[in-house]
Amino acid sequence: MQDGTYDPPRGPQGGSPQDPGHQTPEIGDPASIHVIVGRSRARIVLSGEIDADIGGDLHEATAAAEESRLPVEIDAHHVTFMDSSGVAFLARLASRSPHRVRVLRAPPTVRFLLEVTRIGDLLDIVDEDPGFELDDEGPPSGTTPTPAGVSGPPTS
């Protein structure tokens, strides 16, 4: 987990001469998970290979999203592979959230898994990214301002 902002995965990168910063996800890209808490919802951004190797990070992301008490959306646009750990992560979020969880821009491999496992019945699958509004005045009441995966100042 990083500092709560989306950081593209490191490792072999795609790109084009016109846009060297643009990265095309490829199978074998390392996994990346980021939790961003905004004004009205929490977003978990997944990229690369979502598998058992990052199970601990998936649990941390779940906890951070639940702590926000906001609706949760998963940006899966850059997921190149997902195994049962990723499916279990989505099922856990869907079953524990008081709000319906949305999956944004799911690639065909993720859609297939959601259909086959029927987990897709528990989620809203959205093709467009509605954008994301950060809270400039601090987090909503009852949430922590510290992004997931980053330690905050000690409390006394």
Side-chain angles (χ1 to χ4, degrees), residues 49-81:
E49 295 187 357
I50 307 302
D51 58 22
D53 290 343
I54 60 164
D57 290 337
L58 292 172
H59 284 289
E60 285 182 36
T62 301
E66 288 175 344
E67 285 176 19
S68 75
R69 296 188 180 113
L70 295 170
V72 176
E73 60 189 20
I74 310 298
D75 185 343
H77 182 68
H78 293 288
V79 172
T80 57
F81 172 82

Side-chain angles (χ1 to χ4, degrees), residues 4 8 11 13 37 43 45 48 60 70 81 142:
Q13 304 287 314
V37 177
R43 179 177 285 193
V45 181
E60 285 182 36
L70 295 170
F81 172 82

Side-chain angles (χ1 to χ4, degrees), residues 2 14 18 60 64 119 126 147:
Q2 299 286 324
Q18 296 84 11
E60 285 182 36
I119 299 302
V126 180

Side-chain angles (χ1 to χ4, degrees), residues 51-133:
D51 58 22
D53 290 343
I54 60 164
D57 290 337
L58 292 172
H59 284 289
E60 285 182 36
T62 301
E66 288 175 344
E67 285 176 19
S68 75
R69 296 188 180 113
L70 295 170
V72 176
E73 60 189 20
I74 310 298
D75 185 343
H77 182 68
H78 293 288
V79 172
T80 57
F81 172 82
M82 181 179 283
D83 70 4
S84 60
S85 301
V87 174
F89 160 75
L90 293 173
R92 186 172 41 255
L93 270 176
S95 66
R96 293 168 59 164
S97 176
H99 310 280
R100 190 133 165 113
V101 174
R102 296 191 314 173
V103 177
L104 308 176
R105 307 182 302 164
T109 54
V110 173
R111 285 179 183 268
F112 175 76
L113 284 173
L114 296 177
E115 289 173 19
V116 167
T117 60
R118 303 208 47 185
I119 299 302
D121 296 344
L122 304 174
L123 306 162
D124 290 334
I125 300 172
V126 180
D127 291 330
E128 298 293 319
D129 183 348
F132 195 81
E133 207 173 311

